[in-house]
Amino acid sequence: MNTCIENPDVVLIGSGVMSANLGALLKRLDPALRIQVFEAADELAFESSNGWNNAGTGHAGICELSYTPKREADGTVKVQKVIDIFQEFEQSLQFWAHAVASGMIDNPKEFINPVQHISFVQGADEVDYLKARYAGMSKHHFFAAMEFATDRAKIGAWAPLLTEGRDPAVPIAATKMDGGTDVNFGNVSRKLLAWLGSQEGCSVLASTKVVGLRRAEGGVGRGHRTPPSLEKQAGYGDPALQKTQSASWHVTTRNSKTGEERTVTTKFVFVGAGGGSILLLQMAGLPEAKGLGGFPIGGHWLVCDKPEIVARHQAKVYGQNLPEAPTMAVPHLDTRILDGKKTLLFGPFAAWTTRFLHRTGSWTDLPRSVKPHNLATLLKIAATNFPLVKYLLQQGTQSMADRMKVMHIFYPNAKAEDWKLVDGGIRVQAIKKTDGEAGIVHFGTEVLTSADKSMSALLGASPGASVSVDIVLKVIKESFPHLITSPRMAEIVPTYGTDYRAPENAAVFAKLALEARRRLQLV
């Protein structure tokens, strides 16, 4: 639907993977909901969710070493975080599988494909670390199929580019699982939004920037009605729920092509605008956002399209992050399927920027975000993260030869003439008052929700897109608690509500996971 919904029940700002999943889930759980999506750019899901602007790794904790700390004093590696992430990613697979099976979306190979996930290290200390990581992970049923190797021939059989031309005197190790995925989050977002926009009472509008976001005086706007599911829910008369449902927001938008402005009133706003979320939260004057700031980090990839090289690497290979680099800049050599063809990406390489969004951002974004309430926080982080600032400046001035030195850690025989540098989008690292000296390099994905549950916003970075369904289910639980207990949940996300990390649930999990992967054509 291309016309704006008058006084929708839900407004989603941004057309990325978070908004797409949230909108689709809400509509499946309550078909009577009226949902409006606003996207500032002319195209949908072309910022952080765009396939070229992220690694496309279905982050399931399999190969990402940044999710597991170094060895403990007793030599072990804590692996609980990767177990948690694996279960969270499974929620995404389950919902997308339901979307395919129910006809919401089609052709899953256009957005998800199987690819082995490999962790790769070199040097005696790193080999010992990876062995300990493998020992901890392989005990859990999620990772029972993981393999560990130090033998060069075996590692070379998994990924020949890793071993050819490598110094035989340096010990190496790798782990591998064949159950990994490559995901085009932009494509799955556009598919879900196409379905959502075709539903009664729903609209998805591009070229429509939110220029005003303020609380409505006296509650919901004129003409706003309560969805039937809210009217029917037990306890709707509770004072706490009445407070939530009476809150509302005026959302003013401007069409970038016609200049037309329009204001709608809604009961719930989700800010899924990527880097633009910081400025929108400041516009809304949300008390919970006081002291919140943002630090933008640009990115670049090295890309290889040569068929003879691409054909020899069928994996996503992650290593250790470089000194001073943020966790979002952990180097990896990835098989990608983008624009209908297979390619190789290496990176990302960070870059200094003051823009919060790649397509619709401005160099003034960072200066405009500095307010009296977050100035002290930003100054503190700057003072305690000088090595990160130095790293970003160094990254932005790198030559091709500098970048190839990093690639040679993974692919010793790589030649500069086989690779080209492309833009990798922008990530805005959220900075909170509670961030201490550890600072922004350790801040992950988080949802900020207003006290009255009428607004939620996504902040942070990895593993965000991969666990988007789990994240938005938490949003629904907070702001639409009557929907999270719907009997439909068992059909829409079969794994929701059960802890499949527990050993006693391993057999049931295996059955559900296999069915989802069959629907997604991964097996």
Side-chain angles (χ1 to χ4, degrees):
M1 185 173 182
N2 295 320
T3 58
C4 188
I5 302 297
E6 182 179 356
N7 296 330
D9 303 306
V10 174
V11 166
L12 308 176
I13 304 176
S15 64
V17 69
M18 295 293 174
S19 291
N21 279 301
L22 178 57
L25 274 164
L26 285 172
K27 192 64 175 177
R28 288 298 283 179
L29 289 168
D30 182 1
L33 280 175
R34 297 183 297 175
I35 301 173
Q36 176 66 62
V37 181
F38 293 124
E39 168 57 52
D42 295 336
E43 300 160 300
L44 301 178
F46 263 81
E47 284 286 350
S48 296
S49 297
N50 179 24
W52 289 100
N53 291 350
N54 58 67
T57 305
H59 286 269
I62 299 172
C63 60
E64 307 91 340
L65 300 180
S66 60
Y67 296 151
T68 46
K70 293 288 187 179
R71 285 180 292 164
E72 301 297 304
D74 62 359
T76 62
V77 170
K78 292 182 179 180
V79 298
Q80 186 59 50
K81 186 170 184 178
V82 295
I83 293 171
D84 295 343
I85 290 174
F86 190 98
Q87 177 164 264
E88 290 167 2
F89 178 58
E90 187 64 32
Q91 308 278 51
S92 296
L93 294 182
Q94 292 288 326
F95 176 56
W96 297 340
H98 164 77
V100 171
S102 62
M104 295 170 63
I105 60 179
D106 59 7
N107 299 325
K109 287 192 174 297
E110 292 178 354
F111 70 88
I112 189 167
N113 287 276
V115 62
Q116 60 186 2
H117 282 195
I118 293 175
S119 299
F120 176 76
V121 299
Q122 59 180 328
D125 288 345
E126 293 300 326
V127 169
D128 289 344
Y129 156 76
L130 191 63
K131 184 176 182 180
R133 181 180 188 269
Y134 165 74
M137 291 178 65
S138 60
K139 292 177 183 177
H140 195 275
H141 61 90
F142 285 168
F143 307 106
M146 180 177 281
E147 299 178 60
F148 173 81
T150 56
D151 179 72
R152 289 170 185 266
K154 189 170 185 179
I155 296 172
W158 295 345
L161 301 187
L162 296 180
T163 57
E164 294 172 354
R166 188 170 296 280
D167 183 353
V170 179
I172 61 174
T175 57
K176 176 183 75 76
M177 275 186 67
D178 293 330
T181 56
D182 173 62
V183 185
N184 188 320
F185 295 106
N187 278 359
V188 70
S189 300
R190 287 184 282 274
K191 285 177 178 287
L192 289 170
L193 290 171
W195 173 83
L196 182 64
S198 70
Q199 302 304 296
E200 183 179 355
C202 296
S203 171
V204 179
L205 295 178
S207 308
T208 307
K209 184 177 182 178
V210 173
V211 295
L213 188 57
R214 61 184 177 85
R215 286 191 181 275
E217 295 291 338
V220 296
R222 182 180 179 183
H224 206 295
R225 101 289 187 249
T226 301
S229 65
L230 287 179
E231 292 177 348
K232 293 178 181 178
Q233 73 162 320
Y236 179 63
D238 290 352
L241 285 175
Q242 285 182 337
K243 180 180 178 182
T244 300
Q245 299 305 327
S246 66
S248 68
W249 294 89
H250 290 319
V251 183
T252 301
T253 62
R254 180 185 299 126
N255 186 289
S256 61
K257 297 183 182 300
T258 66
E260 178 187 4
E261 291 195 1
R262 176 191 297 269
T263 298
V264 300
T265 303
T266 184
K267 289 185 176 182
F268 178 77
V269 175
F270 178 73
V271 183
S277 294
I278 297 289
L279 294 174
L280 285 165
L281 286 171
Q282 292 178 348
M283 183 188 299
L286 210 64
E288 291 80 6
K290 292 293 184 182
L292 186 69
F295 188 88
I297 300 176
H300 297 92
W301 298 103
L302 285 175
V303 178
C304 176
D305 291 322
K306 284 199 169 184
E308 62 271 26
I309 297 176
V310 173
R312 302 189 67 234
H313 187 78
Q314 310 290 333
K316 289 182 179 290
V317 181
Y318 275 60
Q320 292 284 19
N321 63 300
L322 302 177
E324 316 304 346
T327 54
M328 66 178 71
V330 174
H332 38 96
L333 180 63
D334 289 358
T335 293
R336 298 298 314 275
I337 298 175
L338 297 168
D339 301 332
K341 70 174 184 178
K342 188 174 290 186
T343 189
L344 294 186
L345 268 65
F346 179 78
F349 297 94
W352 171 263
T353 182
T354 61
R355 299 165 63 195
F356 281 179
L357 292 168
H358 177 59
R359 298 227 166 186
T360 60
S362 165
W363 69 269
T364 64
D365 289 343
L366 179 57
R368 285 194 298 121
S369 74
V370 179
K371 307 293 183 184
H373 64 76
N374 65 16
L375 179 59
T377 303
L378 292 168
L379 289 175
K380 179 181 178 182
I381 291 298
T384 55
N385 282 272
F386 179 74
L388 173 62
V389 175
K390 181 180 177 181
Y391 166 81
L392 292 175
L393 293 173
Q394 176 269 329
Q395 286 273 296
T397 58
Q398 281 189 116
S399 65
M400 188 65 171
D402 293 328
R403 295 185 176 98
M404 292 306 295
K405 286 180 182 178
V406 181
M407 183 182 291
H408 288 155
I409 297 172
F410 290 78
Y411 178 11
N413 285 345
K415 299 177 180 178
E417 57 264 31
D418 296 332
W419 299 79
K420 61 183 178 182
L421 190 68
V422 302
D423 201 326
I426 296 171
R427 294 290 187 276
V428 175
Q429 200 79 17
I431 304 170
K432 304 177 295 181
K433 278 186 176 180
T434 53
D435 286 330
E437 291 188 3
I440 59 178
V441 297
H442 299 293
F443 187 74
T445 306
E446 184 171 319
V447 174
L448 184 151
T449 301
S450 64
D452 63 7
K453 315 301 183 187
S454 67
M455 178 179 288
S456 288
L458 178 77
L459 304 169
S462 181
S466 298
V467 299
S468 53
V469 170
D470 186 77
I471 289 172
V472 299
L473 284 171
K474 291 172 182 174
V475 171
I476 294 172
K477 184 177 181 179
E478 282 282 310
S479 297
F480 301 84
H482 59 290
L483 293 182
I484 207 69
T485 57
S486 167
R488 297 183 183 184
M489 280 298 300
E491 174 190 354
I492 297 171
V493 186
T495 52
Y496 184 77
T498 300
D499 186 359
Y500 286 102
R501 296 168 296 186
E504 60 269 24
N505 293 327
V508 177
F509 173 81
K511 181 179 179 180
L512 291 173
L514 179 60
E515 179 59 27
R517 284 156 179 76
R518 283 174 175 165
R519 290 176 172 180
L520 292 170
Q521 299 177 22
L522 294 173
V523 293

